[in-house]
Amino acid sequence: MNNPAVRNTGILLARIALGVIFLAHGLQKVNSWGFEGTKAGFEAMGAPVPAVSAFLATWIEVLGGLALIVGVLTPIVGGLLFLNMIGALFITHIGNGLWVSDGGYELVLALGAGALLLAVVGAGKCSVDALLAGKLPWLATESEPALTR
């Protein structure tokens, strides 16, 4: 997209939508299931080191969701959320086919792809990353180049 306003608006909306979904899933682990329930679920799914996996997945989703919403450290956060979804894909969902209604990988594939895309394209102009791009050039996006370039 050659129009920076449209591109940045699209990135902002996608970032917020994905952030809300990740945040909601992380908060579900914290508030609905608690650590013990989440750990038990990870044990039942055959996750490696279930206590560590449950802890990491929970807090990557909570903190990562919040970070996407405000657009802070998006390349790192997007990468971590992508890896989290790769884990969910191969540990839990891959054997159930595509459809989420059958326990399949449709949702984790879409969330992982969105997180990866944000990791690659960045947070856009309407973000904390854009404010930091002058000091941290690796946070800059095509539509918001770093001041040092």
Side-chain angles (χ1 to χ4, degrees):
M1 172 60 58
N2 288 334
N3 183 326
V6 172
R7 183 177 191 274
N8 284 303
T9 300
I11 293 170
L12 172 65
L13 294 174
R15 224 184 53 233
I16 291 171
L18 287 171
V20 166
I21 294 168
F22 278 116
L23 177 60
H25 279 266
L27 289 176
Q28 181 183 41
K29 290 173 178 68
V30 172
N31 296 324
S32 296
W33 304 335
F35 178 72
E36 290 302 319
T38 301
K39 184 177 85 167
F42 275 55
E43 286 171 353
M45 292 182 280
V49 196
V52 173
S53 296
F55 178 84
L56 288 175
T58 299
W59 293 106
I60 287 172
E61 291 172 9
V62 170
L63 298 175
L66 289 170
L68 285 185
I69 291 167
V70 298
V72 65
L73 302 176
T74 304
I76 294 169
V77 169
L80 289 172
L81 289 166
F82 170 72
L83 292 174
N84 189 45
M85 292 298 96
I86 290 296
L89 173 71
F90 287 108
I91 292 168
T92 304
H93 298 284
I94 195 80
N96 298 325
L98 177 67
W99 307 119
V100 72
S101 59
D102 298 327
Y105 56 87
E106 158 181 35
L107 179 62
V108 298
L109 183 64
L111 290 172
L116 178 61
L117 184 62
L118 289 173
V120 172
V121 302
K125 186 177 180 180
C126 302
S127 66
V128 172
D129 286 355
L131 297 173
L132 298 175
K135 296 194 185 321
L136 302 171
W138 57 272
L139 291 175
T141 64
E142 263 183 61
S143 60
E144 186 64 26
L147 298 175
T148 58
R149 287 189 187 169

